[in-house]
Amino acid sequence: MTLADHVLTYAAFQRATGLAFREQERLLASFARHAEARGERCVRVETCLDWASQSASPQKKQQRLHLVCGLAAYLHAEDERHEVPHRDALGRQRYHRPPPRLLSLEQICQVMDAALDLPPAGSITPVTFHYLIGLVAATGLRRAEATGLRLDDATADGLQIRHAKGRKQRLVPLHGSVRTALNRYLQIRWQCGSPSDRLFVLAGGRPVQPDYLSHTFVRLARQIGLRGGPGEPGPRLHDLRHSFATRALETAVSGGRAKTSRHLLALSTYLGHANATDTYWYLEATPVLLNQVSAATERLHAGRGNDD
């Protein structure tokens, strides 16, 4: 088997575990072409380092190396001729979760309004981005979940998320105002006459791709002054999910201490988190929530309550 064949087998193995593994497979295919151009049929440490080092940033180099290390270890288990690089050969990767940049309801409305001016004027494209950004903000959906929605996923009980992270499925109930807005978009969507079964489409009937949605959001945020120029930090599309989760928890905490733990579990399920600890992170994401948690902890230690 060639290295390209091995990559296909490894990608199939990863997908069987529940991973999408699309971008990873594309990168590993690039590695296979790089190695085969050198006349190699087995993984070599030197080639791995050379391929990984082609990325521009240290973080990308380390990510590439870690990816090819996984392939090498998988192949080495069956054939010791495949060499396994040290994962830290290009430096130790340190992941720092970027702090959420929470958007106010007014700022979200500004982005949605700016979307209505997107080209081509008079087409469904600006309307699609207007309602799609609004849906992400109102439900906390991941970008791939929102863009992957199909027409029959909009049910009377809510949105059926069929291809969530880890290939899980869940039902997302909708607030009445969100359902009304979605119905307005659907009326426009049906008039568009697109042959696609995707819920959100662009001019010409093309479905919205996740990357294009993210890039469009950043462009709109810059346009209205929420972000600086290229390379400068600022709100991302994913911050709409952060904003939704944080507002939901702020409402729960202010509504009564006894509701908080139950609300956390419900929010974790609603967001599709694989682990509740992913939801607990939002308790320390903003000073408001952190202060409320600190106050609850002080009450607990003072013996004034143990139901938070």
Side-chain angles (χ1 to χ4, degrees):
M1 294 177 65
T2 65
L3 281 174
D5 294 330
H6 285 311
V7 168
L8 293 176
T9 302
Y10 180 62
F13 167 76
Q14 292 290 348
R15 279 193 284 270
T17 67
L19 299 176
F21 214 72
R22 288 186 292 269
E23 179 63 15
Q24 295 91 330
E25 182 180 9
R26 185 189 68 79
L27 285 171
L28 288 176
S30 169
F31 165 75
R33 290 192 298 270
H34 180 79
E36 289 172 354
R38 293 183 167 201
E40 299 172 358
R41 297 180 64 86
C42 293
V43 178
R44 295 284 178 260
V45 170
E46 181 182 355
T47 304
C48 292
L49 296 177
D50 181 65
W51 174 76
S53 297
Q54 293 179 1
S55 291
S57 69
Q59 183 180 11
K60 290 293 185 181
K61 292 177 183 178
Q62 293 161 7
Q63 289 174 351
R64 277 193 168 205
L65 180 60
H66 291 183
L67 180 61
V68 79
C69 280
L71 171 67
Y74 172 84
L75 297 176
H76 182 81
E78 295 288 340
D79 186 345
E80 293 185 352
R81 292 179 299 169
H82 294 284
E83 300 174 359
V84 183
H86 194 286
R87 287 175 59 86
D88 296 335
L90 295 177
R92 180 171 296 181
Q93 187 175 20
R94 296 180 180 179
Y95 174 73
H96 298 284
R97 173 177 260 173
R101 299 179 184 277
L102 306 181
L103 288 89
S104 67
L105 294 178
E106 180 182 0
Q107 290 172 328
I108 294 172
C109 289
Q110 289 175 351
V111 176
M112 293 174 61
D113 290 342
L116 291 174
D117 293 326
L118 287 169
S123 73
I124 195 173
T125 295
V127 179
T128 290
F129 279 113
H130 173 82
Y131 283 100
L132 183 50
I133 291 171
L135 181 68
V136 172
T139 61
L141 291 180
R142 300 180 178 95
R143 63 177 194 171
E145 294 172 348
T147 57
L149 288 169
R150 301 187 182 278
L151 289 168
D152 58 1
D153 290 335
T155 71
D157 297 320
L159 293 176
Q160 182 65 46
I161 310 300
R162 304 184 187 276
H163 302 290
K165 193 174 183 179
R167 293 190 176 182
K168 296 181 179 180
Q169 299 187 18
R170 72 183 189 278
L171 181 68
V172 174
L174 299 177
H175 187 272
S177 61
V178 179
R179 185 176 296 279
T180 298
L182 185 58
N183 287 337
R184 284 200 298 267
Y185 175 74
L186 283 172
Q187 292 177 358
I188 302 172
R189 168 72 175 76
W190 286 119
Q191 294 173 3
C192 173
S194 169
S196 173
D197 65 344
R198 290 291 184 89
L199 179 57
F200 291 102
V201 295
L202 304 175
R206 297 174 293 112
V208 183
Q209 298 301 321
D211 283 345
Y212 190 40
L213 174 59
S214 293
H215 295 159
T216 300
F217 179 86
V218 169
R219 185 173 63 179
L220 293 172
R222 285 182 179 140
Q223 178 182 319
I224 63 176
L226 291 181
R227 284 186 66 114
E232 297 183 24
R236 306 160 299 153
L237 179 75
H238 199 68
D239 286 316
L240 294 178
R241 179 174 168 89
H242 292 325
S243 300
F244 169 83
T246 303
R247 280 197 303 273
L249 287 176
E250 286 178 346
T251 302
V253 173
S254 62
R257 299 196 312 276
K259 298 180 182 179
T260 306
S261 59
R262 293 198 299 270
H263 197 84
L264 270 169
L265 180 59
L267 181 61
S268 180
T269 303
Y270 189 91
L271 291 173
H273 282 158
N275 194 313
T277 56
D278 294 331
T279 314
Y280 295 153
W281 174 76
Y282 287 110
L283 287 173
E284 57 184 79
T286 64
V288 173
L289 287 176
L290 191 56
N291 287 337
Q292 290 171 332
V293 171
S294 298
T297 303
E298 291 176 0
R299 287 194 300 269
L300 177 63
H301 284 289
R304 296 200 298 271
N306 59 0
D307 55 354
D308 287 17

